[in-house]
Amino acid sequence: DTAVSQTPKYLVTQMGNDKSIKCEQNLGHDTMYWYKQDSKKFLKIMFSYNNKELIINETVPNRFSPKSPDKAHLNLHINSLELGDSAVYFCASSPYRGRGTDTQYFGPGTRLTVL
Amino acid sequence: GNSVTQMEGPVTLSEEAFLTINCTYTATGYPSLFWYVQYPGEGLQLLLKATKADDKGSNKGFEATYRKETTSFHLEKGSVQVSDSAVYFCALNAGTDSWGKLQFGAGTQVVVTP
């Protein structure tokens, strides 16, 4: 059984469109994250939710809006897509809120290409 | 602020060679340190971690020791296999005030040839 799953795996779209990426975890974890990996493989956190509460909101354009309907799901909606949004987006989860020793479990990633 | 610096790749090795990937960090307080591995086309998975000074993390023949005096967490493996070809990320979590935020190094690509 997949622990952290993301859909879609690939997303190709035109500039200006709006798109969503979905993430689900079946690990019973309280905390979920979105990371962005750029073309040079550099990873940076974007958002984190704990039990549907936003706890990390890095400096990200407000075209990006996360939503967590319940603690097992975290979606990422992106408005007015730009070329620079092309990247691989990873969802992750961890057991507890803010505990620095916890392992984070990553999904397989969604490769977004904006044309 | 907190940061992680790791050696640039790609690192190309022959099978059974010794692998070292250097990682140093800057952080206030007592961070936890991690090595994650990303195999081609996949997400990241934890390779090993250490949560306090002098701890040694180990897994699948890889080891790393948390050295507070040198602010380092170098990754080593005595004899690599072709299947170890991947991108390796050093990361830190600064502690309870960081809400679980992982800060990653730039990643080091390792290529192991037969």
Side-chain angles (χ1 to χ4, degrees):
Chain A
D1 284 344
T2 304
V4 182
S5 59
Q6 294 179 229
T7 53
K9 191 167 172 62
Y10 300 97
L11 187 51
V12 181
T13 189
Q14 299 288 330
M15 262 196 323
N17 285 350
D18 303 338
K19 290 292 179 186
S20 292
I21 306 171
K22 296 187 176 184
C23 178
E24 176 181 0
Q25 54 95 3
N26 64 4
L27 297 167
H29 289 170
D30 284 349
T31 307
M32 296 182 73
Y33 310 82
W34 278 113
Y35 288 87
K36 179 180 180 181
Q37 186 176 47
D38 65 22
S39 58
K40 296 186 177 177
K41 301 281 189 185
F42 186 71
L43 273 154
K44 190 167 171 24
I45 192 164
M46 301 172 71
F47 303 103
S48 177
Y49 269 78
N50 176 264
N51 275 323
K52 302 192 292 177
E53 178 191 353
L54 181 66
I55 58 172
I56 295 175
N57 186 356
E58 291 292 284
T59 308
V60 175
N62 58 14
R63 298 182 293 104
F64 290 79
S65 52
K67 281 193 174 48
S68 181
D70 55 62
K71 75 174 193 178
H73 295 85
L74 178 62
N75 303 323
L76 182 66
H77 188 76
I78 317 170
N79 288 328
S80 303
L81 278 155
E82 300 178 357
L83 293 176
D85 298 332
S86 295
V88 181
Y89 293 84
F90 286 102
C91 177
S93 71
S94 65
Y96 300 110
R97 176 178 185 152
R99 196 166 74 174
T101 57
D102 283 346
T103 298
Q104 292 186 18
Y105 295 81
F106 284 77
T110 295
R111 182 175 293 277
L112 171 65
T113 304
V114 182
L115 303 175
Chain B
N2 302 323
S3 66
V4 177
T5 303
Q6 60 182 106
M7 61 190 281
E8 284 189 33
V11 174
T12 304
L13 304 161
S14 298
E15 213 165 15
E16 299 183 4
F18 185 87
L19 171 68
T20 300
I21 304 176
N22 290 338
C23 172
T24 56
Y25 67 90
T26 302
T28 54
Y30 303 94
S32 295
L33 301 173
F34 303 80
W35 278 102
Y36 281 84
V37 59
Q38 184 178 23
Y39 297 104
E42 297 184 12
L44 281 75
Q45 54 185 274
L46 179 73
L47 183 58
L48 52 84
K49 68 180 181 183
T51 59
K52 60 183 189 296
D54 300 325
D55 268 2
K56 178 189 279 189
S58 61
N59 186 26
K60 299 182 182 179
F62 290 88
E63 291 184 342
T65 301
Y66 186 159
R67 302 263 187 226
K68 193 163 176 62
E69 64 276 13
T70 54
T71 62
S72 65
F73 192 53
H74 304 321
L75 182 69
E76 296 181 337
K77 185 175 184 182
S79 176
V80 293
Q81 305 300 312
V82 172
S83 57
D84 294 323
S85 298
V87 181
Y88 293 81
F89 292 92
C90 185
L92 72 80
N93 186 308
T96 52
D97 292 339
S98 70
W99 303 115
K101 179 165 69 174
L102 277 175
Q103 196 120 8
F104 285 92
T108 302
Q109 183 173 11
V110 172
V111 178
V112 181
T113 57

